[in-house]
Amino acid sequence: MRHLFEPRLVNDAFGDPGLYVDFRDERRALLFDLGDITRLPPRKLLRLTHVFVTHAHMDHFSGFDHLLRVVLGRKAQIALTGGPGFVAQVEHKLRAYTWNVVQRYEVALAIDVCEIGVDGGALRARFSSRTGFEREPASTVAPAGDVLHDETVFRVRGRFVDHGIPCLAYAVEEKARVSVGKDRVAALGFETGAWLRELKHAVLTGARGDTPIDVRWRDRGGEHAAVRQVGELTHLVLGVVPGRRIGYVTDLRYGEANVATLSGLLAGVDVLFIESVFLDEDADHAERKHHLTARQAGLIARRVGARAVVPFHHSPRYAGRAAELVAEVNAAWSGAPAPPDS
Ligand SMILES: [Zn+2]
Ligand SMILES: [Zn+2]
């Protein structure tokens, strides 16, 4: 089965961090981090529905202006999520400009901002070009656990790691899908209908075998209805296809607390994008800067059981030495089990 989305780093591994997650069958995309995004052409920026920011250091947030300039007057809505102080940070960005003509744009832009607190609560606000981007309060509904965004086919989860400041690590998860054998449905004398959705949901959520399913459909002969149990119908389901899961982890120090947080968020991810800023010979410097070494990134990838690792956010001091950083990540990722608190 085809995957729902395709993730790609915005810049090379020495450039500003950023992950563009493109949906294959829809003109939409997600963006993680908002640093230098000038490599993304306007048509790609216009596809963005949601932007998730890890923290507001310049290399992760200075691209806000570029994004705003591209979407203003062309796009109706965009949602931004970030950590503590994020609503005020977006507001200050917007206040830095003069907006006396913006109300005249044919396509009004609404920026919905969601600020996640370290207590798991959320502060929301809307800024609309119709009002010159005056701040309007929005609902304060808290996220359900670490699920920061939830749609039918995918979700985005986030948890805070320590970077000297709270910084959000993200997981993008395609939800599991079930495939149904249409010929098997026909062999039972049934036809497809809304009841199949109910059956799929029951299978995905692990419902008991005796859970009743109202099998209803309509054809030329009129309405048909029967009640069957999930257990009787499961052979119609050919298989459960697990969704693809992607981790985006950048700007954190190495330590057991951070590793434990990431293990909970990212266990068994298919692809882990993880910062690998310094070589391990500069581990003291990495610690002072609240960043990971390549070896530490590899150890984290190993602990969470990542099936593939993509290192990025290399320090410019290693220009021309990317291969060493990558080799160090891979050695730790594939090597002997890491001591729990190394
Ligand atoms: Zn950074
Ligand atoms: Zn940072």
Side-chain angles (χ1 to χ4, degrees), residues 3-167:
H3 287 297
L4 190 64
F5 39 62
E6 196 54 56
R8 193 159 293 162
L9 288 172
V10 173
N11 296 302
D12 70 35
F14 288 95
D16 280 2
L19 185 72
Y20 187 87
V21 178
D22 207 358
F23 284 66
R24 289 178 190 275
D25 299 320
E26 281 175 83
R27 285 172 166 273
R28 77 172 289 193
L30 313 175
L31 180 65
F32 292 82
D33 272 338
L34 203 39
D36 181 357
I37 50 166
T38 50
R39 282 207 189 170
L40 293 172
R43 69 181 163 79
K44 284 197 158 187
L45 293 176
L46 289 165
R47 256 186 245 163
L48 294 173
T49 57
H50 295 77
V51 180
F52 298 88
V53 174
T54 56
H55 65 304
H57 281 157
M58 285 194 83
D59 53 330
H60 300 257
F61 194 47
S62 63
F64 175 89
D65 290 34
H66 180 76
L67 176 65
L68 179 60
R69 198 164 188 195
V70 169
V71 300
L72 190 58
R74 295 194 225 170
K75 194 169 169 62
Q77 207 259 339
I78 193 160
L80 309 182
T81 297
F86 194 59
V87 168
Q89 284 162 332
V90 171
E91 183 174 19
H92 287 119
K93 285 261 190 197
L94 291 164
R95 289 279 77 77
Y97 295 101
T98 304
W99 299 113
N100 62 311
V101 295
V102 78
Q103 290 88 344
R104 292 184 212 150
Y105 285 151
E106 220 166 274
V107 181
L109 172 68
I111 304 172
D112 287 310
V113 184
C114 179
E115 170 180 325
I116 307 297
V118 283
D119 61 354
L123 172 69
R124 293 172 210 267
R126 168 170 274 211
F127 301 88
S128 169
S129 62
R130 288 236 185 276
T131 58
F133 293 114
E134 284 302 320
R135 175 171 172 173
E136 303 162 37
S139 96
T140 54
V141 178
D146 62 7
V147 178
L148 307 184
H149 181 72
D150 199 11
E151 295 191 22
T152 319
V153 289
F154 79 99
R155 65 172 81 78
V156 176
R157 294 162 60 223
R159 292 190 189 181
F160 285 106
V161 288
D162 175 21
H163 174 46
I165 52 165
C167 176

Side-chain angles (χ1 to χ4, degrees), residues 22 59 67 88 148 162 171 174 179-180 182 185 264 291 316 322:
D22 207 358
D59 53 330
L67 176 65
L148 307 184
D162 175 21
E174 183 183 0
S179 60
V180 169
K182 296 257 167 66
V185 173
H291 275 295

Side-chain angles (χ1 to χ4, degrees), residues 328-341:
E328 199 172 281
V329 172
N330 286 336
W333 172 48
S334 59
D341 59 351

